Amino acid sequence: DVDDDGDGFTDVYETYTFLTAADAFDTDGDGSGDYAEWIAGTSPTNSSSVFEVSTAAVNTNGYTLTWYSVTNRNYRVRVRMP
């Protein structure tokens, strides 16, 4: 099973399932690879559909982060303190 662009999908699966370019790691050019977008639930063919923190704030209870999410996905926040 060939994966020319190394994004985690075989070329045939990628081309016929997601309609993404089999030779491009990041079909829509948004900086997130096609496989990473599939894992996050974003669209690998829409450059405005990306997984990123949309707001980050410090409050009395600690920190608040918000991001676009989808159903049937689990998200984990990892923190490294200085």
Side-chain angles (χ1 to χ4, degrees), residues 1-11 14 22:
D1 294 343
V2 178
D3 179 15
D4 284 331
D5 57 7
D7 65 1
F9 296 117
T10 65
D11 293 349
E14 180 174 7

Side-chain angles (χ1 to χ4, degrees), residues 11-56:
D11 293 349
V12 171
Y13 184 78
E14 180 174 7
T15 302
Y16 293 103
T17 304
F18 300 107
L19 305 176
T20 57
D23 61 346
F25 180 80
D26 178 14
T27 299
D28 58 13
D30 63 6
S32 206
D34 294 346
Y35 182 75
E37 293 210 56
W38 177 74
I39 293 294
T42 58
S43 172
T45 59
N46 180 347
S47 63
S48 64
S49 173
V50 294
F51 182 78
E52 63 186 1
V53 172
S54 55
T55 61

